[in-house]
Amino acid sequence: DGGITQSPKYLFRKEGQNVTLSCEQNLNHDAMYWYRQDPGQGLRLIYYSQIVNDFQKGDIAEGYSVSREKKESFPLTVTSAQKNPTAFYLCASSARTSGATYEQYFGPGTRLTVT
Amino acid sequence: GIQVEQSPPDLILQEGANSTLRCNFSDSVNNLQWFHQNPWGQLINLFYIPSGTKQNGRLSATTVATERYSLLYISSSQTTDSGVYFCAVGIQGAQKLVFGQGTRLTINP
């Protein structure tokens, strides 16, 4: 059963703690992405990776870090430097094509609450 | 950067009605996707439609790339169609999607 899994579904942390969100895909996709969604808003890109051991900052990367050691996995760490970490986090992946077009598929998301 | 505007922001309809959701974008795109976000937050892929017209059951979409807009049509709405519909676009050389603010659709029985 191919797809994207994110864990946990809900996550609660105290302010000042780092927290890591998991994202795994078995679609054999090269590219993976992390987005953030705030209530009533669209999604904004945090980081993306087009290939193993390489990743680029998105529009709102401050306070976040990522790694891409395996093709299937792209974990996101929300650090204590992120000023407003409470949000819904979505992971996505796409097949890397030789052209410039691609379709992204999303995981079920992780709701992070920091108090 | 590219701007994506969706209209209307909210739409309330009775079951069985038809609806049209619009997405305007400010620059040339090579990727346009429509998503439905269900009440649990899951983004469901509806269409990948950088240009042309596609249909899938009661849903269809049209993108007129030269005029920089896309339309999502929902016919014979059902209560399960409720949720937020997002349009997202990608531009040449950029491996990311830029999302609109969404249209919240409520279908009443």
Side-chain angles (χ1 to χ4, degrees):
Chain A
D1 204 9
I4 303 170
T5 57
Q6 292 186 243
S7 60
K9 193 170 184 176
Y10 298 94
L11 192 52
F12 299 88
R13 280 294 182 269
K14 294 289 187 184
E15 198 172 317
Q17 294 179 335
N18 291 355
V19 60
T20 297
L21 281 59
S22 168
C23 177
E24 305 275 333
Q25 55 97 1
N26 61 6
L27 300 169
N28 199 33
H29 284 170
D30 286 309
M32 297 185 73
Y33 313 80
W34 275 105
Y35 291 87
R36 169 184 171 137
Q37 186 179 30
D38 293 290
Q41 302 295 314
L43 280 67
R44 292 181 292 166
L45 183 68
I46 305 172
Y47 267 98
Y48 65 99
S49 168
Q50 297 186 54
I51 198 166
V52 173
N53 293 324
D54 185 48
F55 47 83
Q56 287 79 40
K57 293 182 179 180
D59 300 317
I60 55 167
E62 186 176 348
Y64 300 97
S65 66
V66 294
S67 63
R68 187 86 186 277
E69 297 176 2
K70 297 188 300 181
K71 185 176 182 177
E72 307 79 32
S73 177
F74 191 39
L76 173 74
T77 297
V78 184
T79 75
S80 56
Q82 168 50 233
K83 293 179 182 177
N84 297 296
T86 295
F88 187 44
Y89 291 87
L90 290 133
C91 177
S93 71
S94 68
R96 192 176 179 207
T97 63
S98 57
T101 58
Y102 52 91
E103 182 173 6
Q104 291 189 22
Y105 297 86
F106 283 79
T110 292
R111 293 192 185 276
L112 174 63
T113 302
V114 177
T115 57
Chain B
I2 191 168
Q3 304 296 313
V4 182
E5 294 183 1
Q6 292 187 241
S7 60
D10 293 279
L11 188 57
I12 301 174
L13 299 171
Q14 291 298 122
E15 201 167 19
N18 301 329
S19 57
T20 300
L21 283 58
R22 187 176 180 101
C23 173
N24 292 333
F25 43 93
S26 61
D27 205 345
S28 299
V29 300
N30 61 14
N31 178 9
L32 190 145
Q33 293 184 241
W34 282 99
F35 297 93
H36 174 211
Q37 189 167 40
N38 66 22
W40 297 272
Q42 174 82 55
L43 277 175
I44 309 298
N45 288 43
L46 296 177
F47 293 102
Y48 170 69
I49 186 166
S51 64
T53 297
K54 290 186 177 179
Q55 179 155 7
N56 184 6
R58 297 182 294 104
L59 275 62
S60 63
T62 295
T63 297
V64 184
T66 53
E67 297 187 22
R68 299 182 183 171
Y69 73 89
S70 183
L71 301 173
L72 177 68
Y73 305 97
I74 305 173
S75 65
S76 304
S77 298
Q78 301 174 358
T79 55
T80 52
D81 293 330
S82 295
V84 182
Y85 289 79
F86 286 103
C87 166
V89 303
I91 61 175
Q92 181 79 22
Q95 289 289 326
K96 70 173 186 178
L97 289 176
V98 177
F99 281 74
Q101 295 297 298
T103 292
R104 180 172 297 277
L105 177 64
T106 302
I107 304 298
N108 292 320

Short mmCIF file of all heavy atoms in Angstrom, two decimals, chain B residues 30-54:
data_model
loop_
_atom_site.label_atom_id
_atom_site.label_comp_id
_atom_site.label_asym_id
_atom_site.label_seq_id
_atom_site.Cartn_x
_atom_site.Cartn_y
_atom_site.Cartn_z
N ASN B 30 3.86 26.08 -14.65
CA ASN B 30 3.97 24.79 -15.33
C ASN B 30 3.39 23.67 -14.49
O ASN B 30 3.52 22.50 -14.82
CB ASN B 30 5.42 24.50 -15.71
CG ASN B 30 6.32 24.42 -14.51
OD1 ASN B 30 5.86 24.34 -13.38
ND2 ASN B 30 7.61 24.45 -14.74
N ASN B 31 2.76 24.05 -13.38
CA ASN B 31 2.09 23.06 -12.55
C ASN B 31 0.91 23.75 -11.88
O ASN B 31 1.06 24.87 -11.36
CB ASN B 31 3.06 22.52 -11.49
CG ASN B 31 2.42 21.52 -10.55
OD1 ASN B 31 1.29 21.08 -10.76
ND2 ASN B 31 3.12 21.14 -9.50
N LEU B 32 -0.24 23.12 -11.91
CA LEU B 32 -1.38 23.62 -11.16
C LEU B 32 -2.13 22.42 -10.61
O LEU B 32 -2.44 21.48 -11.36
CB LEU B 32 -2.30 24.50 -12.03
CG LEU B 32 -3.38 25.25 -11.25
CD1 LEU B 32 -3.64 26.61 -11.87
CD2 LEU B 32 -4.66 24.45 -11.12
N GLN B 33 -2.35 22.42 -9.33
CA GLN B 33 -3.06 21.33 -8.70
C GLN B 33 -4.24 21.87 -7.90
O GLN B 33 -4.14 22.94 -7.29
CB GLN B 33 -2.14 20.54 -7.75
CG GLN B 33 -1.03 19.78 -8.47
CD GLN B 33 -0.20 18.92 -7.53
OE1 GLN B 33 1.00 19.11 -7.37
NE2 GLN B 33 -0.84 17.95 -6.89
N TRP B 34 -5.34 21.10 -7.89
CA TRP B 34 -6.48 21.36 -7.02
C TRP B 34 -6.51 20.27 -5.96
O TRP B 34 -6.35 19.07 -6.27
CB TRP B 34 -7.78 21.33 -7.81
CG TRP B 34 -8.06 22.57 -8.60
CD1 TRP B 34 -7.85 22.78 -9.93
CD2 TRP B 34 -8.66 23.78 -8.12
NE1 TRP B 34 -8.25 24.04 -10.30
CE2 TRP B 34 -8.77 24.67 -9.21
CE3 TRP B 34 -9.12 24.21 -6.87
CZ2 TRP B 34 -9.30 25.96 -9.08
CZ3 TRP B 34 -9.66 25.48 -6.75
CH2 TRP B 34 -9.74 26.35 -7.85
N PHE B 35 -6.73 20.69 -4.71
CA PHE B 35 -6.81 19.77 -3.58
C PHE B 35 -8.12 20.02 -2.82
O PHE B 35 -8.62 21.14 -2.77
CB PHE B 35 -5.66 20.00 -2.59
CG PHE B 35 -4.28 19.76 -3.13
CD1 PHE B 35 -3.56 20.81 -3.67
CD2 PHE B 35 -3.69 18.52 -3.08
CE1 PHE B 35 -2.28 20.62 -4.15
CE2 PHE B 35 -2.41 18.31 -3.55
CZ PHE B 35 -1.70 19.37 -4.09
N HIS B 36 -8.58 18.96 -2.16
CA HIS B 36 -9.67 19.07 -1.21
C HIS B 36 -9.10 18.70 0.16
O HIS B 36 -8.53 17.61 0.32
CB HIS B 36 -10.81 18.10 -1.59
CG HIS B 36 -11.92 18.05 -0.59
ND1 HIS B 36 -12.67 16.92 -0.37
CD2 HIS B 36 -12.41 19.01 0.23
CE1 HIS B 36 -13.57 17.19 0.57
NE2 HIS B 36 -13.45 18.43 0.93
N GLN B 37 -9.22 19.61 1.12
CA GLN B 37 -8.77 19.31 2.47
C GLN B 37 -9.98 18.88 3.29
O GLN B 37 -10.91 19.67 3.50
CB GLN B 37 -8.06 20.49 3.12
CG GLN B 37 -7.40 20.14 4.44
CD GLN B 37 -6.45 21.19 4.95
OE1 GLN B 37 -6.71 22.38 4.84
NE2 GLN B 37 -5.32 20.77 5.50
N ASN B 38 -9.94 17.63 3.75
CA ASN B 38 -11.09 17.12 4.50
C ASN B 38 -11.05 17.60 5.95
O ASN B 38 -10.08 18.25 6.37
CB ASN B 38 -11.15 15.60 4.38
CG ASN B 38 -9.98 14.89 5.06
OD1 ASN B 38 -9.33 15.45 5.93
ND2 ASN B 38 -9.73 13.67 4.64
N PRO B 39 -12.09 17.33 6.73
CA PRO B 39 -12.14 17.84 8.12
C PRO B 39 -10.98 17.36 8.98
O PRO B 39 -10.70 17.98 10.01
CB PRO B 39 -13.48 17.31 8.62
CG PRO B 39 -14.31 17.17 7.38
CD PRO B 39 -13.37 16.72 6.31
N TRP B 40 -10.30 16.30 8.63
CA TRP B 40 -9.17 15.81 9.40
C TRP B 40 -7.84 16.41 8.94
O TRP B 40 -6.80 16.09 9.48
CB TRP B 40 -9.11 14.27 9.31
CG TRP B 40 -10.33 13.66 9.90
CD1 TRP B 40 -10.56 13.29 11.18
CD2 TRP B 40 -11.56 13.37 9.18
NE1 TRP B 40 -11.83 12.79 11.32
CE2 TRP B 40 -12.46 12.82 10.13
CE3 TRP B 40 -11.96 13.51 7.85
CZ2 TRP B 40 -13.75 12.43 9.77
CZ3 TRP B 40 -13.24 13.12 7.51
CH2 TRP B 40 -14.12 12.59 8.46
N GLY B 41 -7.91 17.28 7.95
CA GLY B 41 -6.71 17.96 7.48
C GLY B 41 -6.01 17.33 6.31
O GLY B 41 -5.08 17.92 5.74
N GLN B 42 -6.42 16.15 5.92
CA GLN B 42 -5.78 15.45 4.80
C GLN B 42 -6.03 16.20 3.50
O GLN B 42 -7.17 16.56 3.21
CB GLN B 42 -6.29 14.03 4.70
CG GLN B 42 -5.80 13.26 3.47
CD GLN B 42 -4.42 12.67 3.66
OE1 GLN B 42 -4.19 11.94 4.62
NE2 GLN B 42 -3.51 12.97 2.77
N LEU B 43 -4.98 16.40 2.72
CA LEU B 43 -5.10 17.01 1.40
C LEU B 43 -5.26 15.91 0.37
O LEU B 43 -4.38 15.07 0.19
CB LEU B 43 -3.86 17.83 1.06
CG LEU B 43 -3.78 19.24 1.60
CD1 LEU B 43 -2.44 19.85 1.28
CD2 LEU B 43 -4.88 20.11 1.03
N ILE B 44 -6.41 15.94 -0.30
CA ILE B 44 -6.71 14.94 -1.32
C ILE B 44 -6.45 15.56 -2.70
O ILE B 44 -6.99 16.64 -3.00
CB ILE B 44 -8.18 14.51 -1.24
CG1 ILE B 44 -8.56 14.11 0.18
CG2 ILE B 44 -8.48 13.40 -2.23
CD1 ILE B 44 -7.81 12.94 0.72
N ASN B 45 -5.66 14.87 -3.50
CA ASN B 45 -5.41 15.38 -4.86
C ASN B 45 -6.67 15.23 -5.71
O ASN B 45 -7.22 14.14 -5.84
CB ASN B 45 -4.29 14.58 -5.52
CG ASN B 45 -2.93 14.90 -4.94
OD1 ASN B 45 -2.79 15.01 -3.73
ND2 ASN B 45 -1.94 15.05 -5.79
N LEU B 46 -7.10 16.33 -6.30
CA LEU B 46 -8.25 16.29 -7.19
C LEU B 46 -7.80 16.29 -8.66
O LEU B 46 -8.21 15.44 -9.43
CB LEU B 46 -9.17 17.49 -6.93
CG LEU B 46 -9.82 17.56 -5.55
CD1 LEU B 46 -10.65 18.84 -5.45
CD2 LEU B 46 -10.68 16.33 -5.29
N PHE B 47 -7.02 17.29 -9.01
CA PHE B 47 -6.56 17.42 -10.39
C PHE B 47 -5.14 17.97 -10.44
O PHE B 47 -4.77 18.81 -9.63
CB PHE B 47 -7.47 18.38 -11.19
CG PHE B 47 -8.86 17.89 -11.41
CD1 PHE B 47 -9.90 18.37 -10.65
CD2 PHE B 47 -9.12 16.93 -12.39
CE1 PHE B 47 -11.19 17.91 -10.85
CE2 PHE B 47 -10.41 16.46 -12.60
CZ PHE B 47 -11.44 16.95 -11.82
N TYR B 48 -4.41 17.45 -11.39
CA TYR B 48 -3.13 18.02 -11.79
C TYR B 48 -3.37 18.57 -13.18
O TYR B 48 -3.54 17.81 -14.14
CB TYR B 48 -2.06 16.94 -11.79
CG TYR B 48 -0.75 17.34 -12.41
CD1 TYR B 48 0.07 18.28 -11.80
CD2 TYR B 48 -0.33 16.79 -13.62
CE1 TYR B 48 1.27 18.64 -12.36
CE2 TYR B 48 0.87 17.15 -14.19
CZ TYR B 48 1.67 18.07 -13.56
OH TYR B 48 2.87 18.44 -14.12
N ILE B 49 -3.44 19.91 -13.31
CA ILE B 49 -3.98 20.47 -14.55
C ILE B 49 -3.31 21.79 -14.89
O ILE B 49 -3.91 22.86 -14.75
CB ILE B 49 -5.52 20.60 -14.46
CG1 ILE B 49 -6.12 21.05 -15.77
CG2 ILE B 49 -5.96 21.44 -13.26
CD1 ILE B 49 -7.62 20.89 -15.88
N PRO B 50 -2.05 21.75 -15.35
CA PRO B 50 -1.38 22.99 -15.74
C PRO B 50 -2.01 23.66 -16.96
O PRO B 50 -1.82 24.87 -17.18
CB PRO B 50 0.05 22.56 -16.04
CG PRO B 50 -0.01 21.09 -16.23
CD PRO B 50 -1.18 20.58 -15.44
N SER B 51 -2.78 22.91 -17.74
CA SER B 51 -3.52 23.50 -18.86
C SER B 51 -4.61 22.51 -19.27
O SER B 51 -4.54 21.32 -18.93
CB SER B 51 -2.60 23.80 -20.04
OG SER B 51 -2.05 22.61 -20.55
N GLY B 52 -5.62 23.02 -19.99
CA GLY B 52 -6.63 22.14 -20.53
C GLY B 52 -7.77 21.85 -19.57
O GLY B 52 -7.98 22.56 -18.60
N THR B 53 -8.52 20.81 -19.89
CA THR B 53 -9.71 20.43 -19.13
C THR B 53 -9.64 18.96 -18.77
O THR B 53 -9.22 18.14 -19.59
CB THR B 53 -10.97 20.70 -19.96
OG1 THR B 53 -11.07 22.11 -20.22
CG2 THR B 53 -12.22 20.25 -19.21
N LYS B 54 -10.06 18.65 -17.54
CA LYS B 54 -10.14 17.27 -17.08
C LYS B 54 -11.44 17.07 -16.33
O LYS B 54 -11.98 18.02 -15.75
CB LYS B 54 -8.96 16.93 -16.15
CG LYS B 54 -7.62 16.85 -16.84
CD LYS B 54 -6.53 16.37 -15.88
CE LYS B 54 -5.20 16.24 -16.59
NZ LYS B 54 -4.12 15.77 -15.66
#
